[in-house]
Amino acid sequence: MPETTIGKLKNLASLDLSNYKLTGLSSDFWSLGSLKSLNLSSNQISENLPSNIANFGLLETLDLSSNNFSSKIPVAMSSLLSLQNLKSNLTMWKLGTLPTALIAFKGHVQVIDPSWHMLGLGYQNKTNIESVKKPAVIHYNGQSKPWLQIGFAHLRPFWTKYVNYSNDFIRNCHILE
């Protein structure tokens, strides 16, 4: 298909380009704003996924698996508010780094300054206590949640100070004190 042809398919709702040995996507590909389902799996795409992915605002299903993407998931994907099913070998962030935190209000997405938040408290046992006191928001991601027996005891007080143990529901959950 000539490069300028695909952009003319303005009403296309579903596109399966899996197993075509694609190595990249033409610039007019990103103008298919009516797509609800896109399958690009099992190709050889190795370029960065561009922020133009945000043009697919109606997209519900996206399969990017079995490719060689060279980047992380772009922040622009957070604007795909209809997306319900994503298959991808892309990572949200590189190991050892904190991901970008986002705040979203009805179609508006804003990156939160990294000094205002802290992630990783559910898997980083050697977290410096002083570094936990600084941010406005802390997030216990990972398996070691503070309310579980396997939670890191030295980080538990940052969570328990906000728990109302007199609440009937909380007591019935058998949350650790």
Side-chain angles (χ1 to χ4, degrees):
M1 182 181 306
E3 186 171 318
T4 56
T5 303
I6 198 160
K8 294 178 181 175
L9 303 172
K10 301 286 184 203
N11 296 321
L12 189 64
S14 180
L15 181 59
D16 186 344
L17 293 174
S18 60
N19 296 298
Y20 276 92
K21 298 182 181 175
L22 298 174
T23 57
L25 301 165
S26 68
S27 58
D28 66 333
F29 172 80
W30 304 105
S31 65
L32 299 174
S34 61
L35 279 180
K36 290 187 177 186
S37 176
L38 175 60
N39 186 348
L40 294 171
S41 67
S42 302
N43 281 294
Q44 299 166 1
I45 302 170
S46 59
E47 61 192 25
N48 290 338
L49 196 59
S51 59
N52 294 2
I53 189 104
N55 295 347
F56 298 145
L58 301 176
L59 203 60
E60 297 172 358
T61 303
L62 176 60
D63 191 342
L64 300 170
S65 61
S66 300
N67 277 289
N68 300 313
F69 286 105
S70 58
S71 67
K72 302 176 289 185
I73 291 177
V75 172
M77 290 217 22
S78 63
S79 65
L80 300 180
L81 302 178
S82 299
L83 190 62
Q84 299 169 22
N85 188 359
L86 171 64
K87 293 181 184 175
S88 169
N89 55 341
L90 288 166
T91 56
M92 292 296 285
W93 61 88
K94 293 179 182 177
L95 289 176
T97 63
L98 294 177
T100 303
L102 304 172
I103 189 166
F105 294 101
K106 196 175 180 182
H108 299 283
V109 178
Q110 181 65 44
V111 175
I112 299 174
D113 185 311
S115 66
W116 282 46
H117 62 90
M118 180 175 196
L119 306 172
L121 297 178
Y123 63 87
Q124 297 175 2
N125 186 21
K126 297 181 180 179
T127 302
N128 179 312
I129 296 297
E130 290 305 311
S131 66
V132 181
K133 292 178 181 177
K134 294 176 185 175
V137 176
I138 58 174
H139 181 220
Y140 289 91
N141 55 335
Q143 65 182 11
S144 298
K145 307 291 190 218
W147 55 88
L148 299 175
Q149 196 71 27
I150 62 171
F152 303 128
H154 69 290
L155 297 175
R156 193 168 286 133
F158 293 100
W159 181 79
T160 56
K161 68 181 179 182
Y162 298 104
V163 179
N164 179 359
Y165 289 102
S166 64
N167 181 286
D168 288 336
F169 178 77
I170 298 295
R171 278 198 315 276
N172 289 329
C173 289
H174 306 288
I175 294 174
L176 295 174
E177 288 189 50

